[in-house]
Amino acid sequence: MTTFPLLAVLLPFLAAFAGLLLSRRPRLAPGGRPGGSRPPGAEAVESRGSTEGDGAGERRRAHGRAAWIAVVPTAVSAVLALWLAWGPGFAYLEGAEPGGPVGRDYGAIVTGGIPISLTLQADDLSAVLGVLVTLVALAVQVYSVGYLHDDPRYPSYSAFVSLFTSAMLLVVYSGDLLVLYVGWEIMGLCSYLLIGHWWEDRGNSRAAVKAFLVTRLGDVGFLFGIFVLGFAAGSFRIADVLAAVPQMSTGALVAATMLLLAGVAGKSAQVPLHTWLPDAMAGPTPISALIHAATMVAAGIFIVARLFPAFQASGPTLDVLAVVAALGMLGAALAALAQDDLKRVLAYSTISQLAYMAGGLAAGSDRAAIFHLVTHGAFKALLFLCAGVVIHHVGTNFMSRMGGLRRQLPVTFVAMTVGFAALMGIPPAGGFFSKDAVLLAMEQAWAGGGLTDAAALLLYGCALATVAVTGAYSARAWLRTFFGPARAVATLPEPQPGTAHVVDMREAPRSMLVPVALLTVPALLLGFAGGVHLDVAVAAVSVALALLGAAVVYAFWRGDPAADPARLLGPLRMPCERAFYVDDLYAAVFARPVMALARLVVRTDDVVVDGAVRGSGGAARGLSGILRLAQNGNVQLYVSGALAGILLIAVGAVVFT
């Protein structure tokens, strides 16, 4: 059992290695889509009726190999993670005392200074997150078999998903901060590759680059935070660092945790490094589910919980985290209320819910934050996979082209209803219990905790307002997707012969519906895993606010089902739709000045540096032309020149002697 953490990490890694080597890219059929580009008007490349060609059999075989290579190792890792979590994981969620870690030390890398220990272990916290990562990754791998069955780059896609899973498990099970950082950075690479999966579209490639650059910006601070903690503790082992926290100076702790917070804000898409996450919706919908539920965005919250004693000893850092969480949760919820793209609604919802978790950590309750992280992973993965079914069905991301789908997609309707109920915090869905735990921690921090009064009041006030806005945007997305008049989906242009059909009037393939159905169970019941510890007053206020927000949206929708209930925002609708112009601000303050400076550097290099080189070459050629006049091969000219020189020398000798 001590080798289980290592096996859980290695199996998806070997699957990625095997998938890239053994699943070669098949040839395209004549008339097929080159390079796997998306059909016009569609978010994905799924099809049940695509034209068979000469390469269809080869493609099916390659996809089949890739599917087996991806799914089986991930399933085995999920079994190992469940084995490790059986007992300790549930005990952690219920608030029991932590047990000893399970794992092994595989030696150390001598660096000439502080060694890097190769330790993989599962304690109570990592056991819980390991289950979340592996089960969501398994659901995504199975779902992707049907979702991308007509994509010629599916083999590499599934391999990168396996690598993504392995990297997150390395973060979860690592016992050393620098080993953890390796998995942290591999996740950044995988996110770039998967968000830009359909790189032929310029917008997709730009979204991938944006996600890579923004998260790398935060990772600079994260790495220096690791260095500060490691050198202050004399070790990079997480257990040694936490044991040394009481002996560390306040300055070292505040500096280290502030730097770590930069990486957390980048990975978990918190203010001010949150702008990459909505654009990351350019990737395939299963990747959105993986990123939003179990991997990248969960990593930042996990790191704060893993190093929570260090953050608890840094009061200013907790105040900063509280303010960041307060602004993020309410701002992202308002942005979600104004979006027309269903996936962007869920993206801003993720930012808001992650801010809830960050607020729970700032309020001093790591267990409540992790509890909400686990339940959120279940219902947000469910919501994204259901969104993928809807998009697969109608051929568009936009809710303005949806409506009336509850009869055409009955399974998806029920599953997404459960997901939205969990997101709103309606009992008995899992999100109700975990959100109540977070709100209770915030109320206690306001009554008298580790935060300053202003930060605690701001955090708790924004949290209550966000509950109402969450109910509003959840109800809006649910009503506009499944109720009201069916909108003009049939008027989408017919795709060219040999390309995928973008409108399908049936439910999704079984490989997509099975993960959706299975995820419905934890989304509905996972809240009971942490034990029912409710504060009746907080729970009543939370449910009342969520229902109030939903009721206001329903009233606006009922008055005109064809209109968008977001009109209730009035003049705030455009700022909310543009996410309060943060992207525009960054473009004006950072992007355009950097681009202007880059153009100036290019111009200077071309005119000054290259101009000097070209000028010296031209001068040499001009001088050689002058010298060439004297070297024309005329002997009489040479003799005349020699005599003239002798004459000048003789005259000079006579005159100057």
Side-chain angles (χ1 to χ4, degrees), residues 147-223:
Y147 193 82
L148 295 173
H149 73 88
D150 196 37
D151 192 320
R153 289 200 297 271
Y154 169 76
S156 62
Y157 162 90
S158 62
F160 291 140
V161 172
S162 296
L163 183 60
F164 209 156
T165 306
S166 177
M168 182 59 188
L169 289 174
L170 183 60
V171 170
V172 168
Y173 291 132
S174 174
D176 187 276
L177 288 174
L178 288 179
V179 176
L180 180 151
Y181 185 73
V182 172
W184 185 274
E185 289 300 325
I186 293 175
M187 280 197 298
L189 172 63
C190 292
S191 68
Y192 167 77
L193 295 171
L194 290 168
I195 293 170
H197 178 71
W198 290 312
W199 51 264
E200 297 85 358
D201 188 327
R202 175 74 170 169
N204 296 346
S205 61
R206 289 173 66 90
V209 171
K210 181 178 181 180
F212 186 81
L213 292 178
V214 173
T215 54
R216 292 293 74 68
L217 181 63
D219 290 351
V220 174
F222 187 79
L223 180 59

Side-chain angles (χ1 to χ4, degrees), residues 1 3-9 11-12 73-90 122-136 165 169 172-173:
M1 191 169 178
T3 60
F4 280 10
L6 176 64
L7 292 175
V9 174
L11 285 171
T74 306
V76 176
S77 287
V79 172
L80 296 175
L82 284 167
W83 190 292
L84 289 169
W86 188 259
F90 291 116
D123 57 13
D124 301 340
L125 173 60
S126 58
V128 172
L129 267 295
V131 172
L132 174 65
V133 172
T134 52
L135 290 183
V136 173
T165 306
L169 289 174
V172 168
Y173 291 132

Side-chain angles (χ1 to χ4, degrees), residues 30-423:
R33 285 177 284 110
S37 58
R38 296 186 294 173
E43 191 265 353
V45 293
E46 314 85 347
S47 168
R48 296 191 187 90
S50 58
T51 304
E52 295 289 334
D54 294 339
E58 185 179 358
R59 175 180 294 169
R60 282 196 300 270
R61 288 190 294 273
H63 283 208
R65 286 195 302 271
W68 282 107
I69 291 171
V71 171
V72 173
T74 306
V76 176
S77 287
V79 172
L80 296 175
L82 284 167
W83 190 292
L84 289 169
W86 188 259
F90 291 116
Y92 175 84
L93 292 178
E94 291 175 357
E97 288 298 320
V102 176
R104 290 180 60 184
D105 191 340
Y106 297 93
I109 299 174
V110 179
T111 62
I114 301 175
I116 303 171
S117 59
L118 303 177
T119 303
L120 292 177
Q121 62 187 27
D123 57 13
D124 301 340
L125 173 60
S126 58
V128 172
L129 267 295
V131 172
L132 174 65
V133 172
T134 52
L135 290 183
V136 173
L138 179 60
V140 166
Q141 289 281 26
V142 174
Y143 183 94
S144 299
V145 174
Y147 193 82
L148 295 173
H149 73 88
D150 196 37
D151 192 320
R153 289 200 297 271
Y154 169 76
S156 62
Y157 162 90
S158 62
F160 291 140
V161 172
S162 296
L163 183 60
F164 209 156
T165 306
S166 177
M168 182 59 188
L169 289 174
L170 183 60
V171 170
V172 168
Y173 291 132
S174 174
D176 187 276
L177 288 174
L178 288 179
V179 176
L180 180 151
Y181 185 73
V182 172
W184 185 274
E185 289 300 325
I186 293 175
M187 280 197 298
L189 172 63
C190 292
S191 68
Y192 167 77
L193 295 171
L194 290 168
I195 293 170
H197 178 71
W198 290 312
W199 51 264
E200 297 85 358
D201 188 327
R202 175 74 170 169
N204 296 346
S205 61
R206 289 173 66 90
V209 171
K210 181 178 181 180
F212 186 81
L213 292 178
V214 173
T215 54
R216 292 293 74 68
L217 181 63
D219 290 351
V220 174
F222 187 79
L223 180 59
F224 280 100
I226 289 176
F227 288 156
V228 172
L229 271 183
F231 283 107
S235 172
F236 290 114
R237 289 175 61 94
I238 295 175
D240 296 341
V241 169
L242 296 181
V245 165
Q247 288 76 44
M248 291 185 192
S249 67
T250 303
L253 279 172
V254 171
T257 51
M258 285 289 191
L259 289 168
L260 290 172
L261 204 58
V264 170
K267 274 291 191 290
S268 289
Q270 293 300 290
V271 176
L273 300 180
H274 64 286
T275 56
W276 67 270
L277 193 60
D279 292 343
M281 298 302 94
T285 300
I287 293 308
S288 302
L290 188 64
I291 290 175
H292 287 244
T295 52
M296 277 188 63
V297 298
I301 302 300
F302 169 77
I303 289 298
V304 179
R306 166 63 80 198
L307 301 174
F308 195 57
F311 281 86
Q312 277 186 311
S314 308
T317 304
L318 291 182
D319 285 334
V320 171
L321 184 60
V323 172
V324 166
L327 297 177
M329 66 175 70
L330 184 56
L334 288 170
L337 184 57
Q339 303 301 310
D340 188 35
D341 187 323
L342 178 59
K343 287 178 66 176
R344 289 181 75 88
V345 171
L346 298 180
Y348 282 111
S349 168
T350 298
I351 297 173
S352 180
Q353 295 301 305
L354 289 168
Y356 262 113
M357 303 166 206
L361 291 167
S365 179
D366 57 332
R367 295 182 187 274
I370 294 299
F371 186 21
H372 194 51
L373 177 64
V374 173
T375 60
H376 174 266
F379 68 71
K380 189 52 64 70
L382 174 64
L383 286 171
F384 267 108
L385 295 187
C386 288
V389 174
V390 171
I391 293 166
H392 174 274
H393 183 82
V394 301
T396 180
N397 294 9
F398 297 108
M399 293 185 291
S400 56
R401 299 180 185 175
M402 300 176 187
L405 296 176
R406 67 187 186 280
R407 294 186 180 88
Q408 301 171 23
L409 303 174
V411 176
T412 306
F413 168 65
V414 172
M416 209 162 187
T417 301
V418 172
F420 278 128
L423 175 60

